[in-house]
Amino acid sequence: MVGEVALKAIQAREERFVAHAKKIWEHPETAYNEVSTCAVTAELLRELGFVVETGMYGMPTALRASWGSGEPTIGFLGEFDALPGLSQKVSTRQEPVQEGAPGEGCGHNLLCVAPLAAAYGLKEELRASSRPGTVVYYGCPAEEALTGKVFMARGGAFRELDLAFSWHGAAKNCVMRGVMTGLNSAKFHFTGRTSHAGGAPENGRSALDAVELMNVGANYLREHVTMDNRIHYVITDGGMAPNIVPDKACVWYFVRALTREAVEDTYRRLVLVAEGAAHMTETKVEIEFLGGCYPTLENRVLSDVIYQSLQEVEKPVWTKEELEFAEAINVQNPNYDQIKRRPDYDGPLGVSVGIREENGFGSTDVGDVQHIVPCAEVNTASWNCAAPGHSWQVTSCAGSSIGMKGMLYGARALALTAAKVAADPQLVAAAKAEFLKATRGKPYRCPIPADVPVPMPVQK
């Protein structure tokens, strides 16, 4: 049976994969600082028989691991980074390991390992069958900065692939078909002239005034953009004291939309707003473009196979203790009663398998890969059903048996899917045909210009 060897290979190494996910959970590292995660993951991949290269694509914490030769070339996307401030013990109440420290609030310790385990399963499947095929695992930094895979793409990653797969932990088991937004991120630095705010205000040119006027203009802009646009900001520097006219101020903006064209157009208009604010206040504005990413582009040929595989492979069986753990966290969410009234509610932890057709207004740099090669993503239940995204609740579950079971379920589903595709050239051709139709006339253009440097790890 296709996939049987892959699934047995993953099962034989389950303890090793769980231990690796726990090791990453215990040593969380934020975007572009995943030095330890990259090193120990490279060590595991070499142990599993892959050829591993680190420091890839101009990024110190990116890695590429490969095995095999010939076509198809199938890629798996792992992620490395944790979130700042979300340190958390495996507990049903908010209880940081270290106050203010990072934590796996998006479950990237699991996201590193599930695709890795799937890549190993496919490797063993191809080796046992003697069929041609190349397996590539990418260790991707800085997804939470929404630029990691974008910098990798700028450096040439992913173009070698025939197709790719991604997995993410979630509150439910589902295949993603809706679109998640693309994004631009930029800081607007205004420079004016300082003065005593009480004694000589006429001599000052307030950079903070410029920031506030820009924000007013951006809020008026909301009325005149398409409904899929999202514009959000935070003032990162507003001056030193009320009696000093600020000569420097900064505001950081995200612009999101469901198409790359809409992102770029709204961002262009936002730049005009910033320039207008500078004119009104006789200040100067310098724009620090931090990066951008594409909206997602799911491939239905691949997602159909994933959906079938989710139903065929062994699902997690939640223990009484795991269900009680999840429920104890769920009841702390004020929206839990509404969640329980939804038609798709199936208990404190996800059990059923579904298809998510609706669009989402979060963003992920997986979208950039999906505009380079056919690529599909799957979610499996890895935390309590009422957990907000990027929360201590996710961190808690990601270090528990709940997260580990969800991770292994996702690995099995991806491995079986990849084995089916590798054994059927017609599926590969159909996935490519769908991709070419969706992207015709819209070649991928990296949103990050060549002169924007890759962030380097912070020296400890």
Side-chain angles (χ1 to χ4, degrees), residues 63-76:
L63 69 80
R64 177 187 180 276
S66 63
W67 178 90
S69 61
E71 297 179 345
T73 301
I74 298 177
F76 296 86

Side-chain angles (χ1 to χ4, degrees), residues 195-231:
S195 181
H196 192 293
E202 70 278 6
N203 293 329
R205 299 293 182 266
S206 173
L208 179 58
D209 286 355
V211 163
E212 292 191 294
L213 284 166
M214 178 184 176
N215 294 344
V216 169
N219 288 324
Y220 276 104
L221 177 62
R222 297 179 196 277
E223 184 183 357
H224 304 286
V225 295
T226 53
M227 292 294 289
D228 62 315
N229 272 263
R230 297 290 187 273
I231 305 170

Side-chain angles (χ1 to χ4, degrees), residues 110-233:
L110 312 174
L111 220 169
C112 169
V113 179
L116 187 157
Y120 172 69
L122 178 61
K123 164 187 172 289
E124 293 301 293
E125 178 89 7
L126 293 175
R127 185 181 62 80
S129 66
S130 299
R131 288 198 305 269
T134 305
V135 184
V136 183
Y137 171 85
Y138 296 93
C140 306
E143 189 277 336
E144 296 299 349
L146 298 172
T147 49
K149 296 180 193 66
V150 191
F151 277 118
M152 291 176 72
R154 193 181 74 176
F158 315 120
R159 289 167 178 80
E160 65 189 301
L161 303 177
D162 289 299
L163 49 90
F165 294 105
S166 178
W167 170 89
H168 205 296
K172 289 190 171 296
N173 307 308
C174 65
V175 171
M176 298 287 292
R177 283 188 177 164
V179 178
M180 297 181 69
T181 55
L183 174 142
N184 271 8
S185 170
K187 291 183 177 179
F188 295 82
H189 300 272
F190 290 88
T191 303
R193 187 167 68 232
T194 191
S195 181
H196 192 293
E202 70 278 6
N203 293 329
R205 299 293 182 266
S206 173
L208 179 58
D209 286 355
V211 163
E212 292 191 294
L213 284 166
M214 178 184 176
N215 294 344
V216 169
N219 288 324
Y220 276 104
L221 177 62
R222 297 179 196 277
E223 184 183 357
H224 304 286
V225 295
T226 53
M227 292 294 289
D228 62 315
N229 272 263
R230 297 290 187 273
I231 305 170
H232 10 273
Y233 61 84

Side-chain angles (χ1 to χ4, degrees), residues 167-175 339 342-347 349-354 378-385 409:
W167 170 89
H168 205 296
K172 289 190 171 296
N173 307 308
C174 65
V175 171
I339 292 170
R342 293 175 184 169
D344 61 348
Y345 174 75
D346 55 4
L349 292 167
V351 177
S352 60
V353 176
V378 62
N379 297 155
T380 55
S382 306
W383 46 79
N384 57 296
C385 72
Y409 178 35

Side-chain angles (χ1 to χ4, degrees), residues 438-449:
T439 58
R440 185 170 289 118
K442 297 180 180 179
Y444 177 76
R445 294 184 297 110
C446 183
I448 303 180

Side-chain angles (χ1 to χ4, degrees), residues 7 10-11 14 17-18 110 113-115 117-118 167-175 306-318 350-354 378-382 401-417:
L7 296 176
I10 293 172
Q11 183 179 26
E14 277 188 4
F17 294 136
V18 167
L110 312 174
V113 179
W167 170 89
H168 205 296
K172 289 190 171 296
N173 307 308
C174 65
V175 171
I306 293 176
Y307 183 68
Q308 294 166 5
S309 298
L310 278 171
Q311 297 175 86
E312 292 171 15
V313 300
E314 180 186 359
K315 293 182 183 178
V317 177
W318 305 119
V351 177
S352 60
V353 176
V378 62
N379 297 155
T380 55
S382 306
S401 60
I402 293 170
M404 303 304 156
K405 285 184 176 181
M407 173 189 78
L408 292 170
Y409 178 35
R412 291 191 292 271
L414 281 190
L416 179 56
T417 300

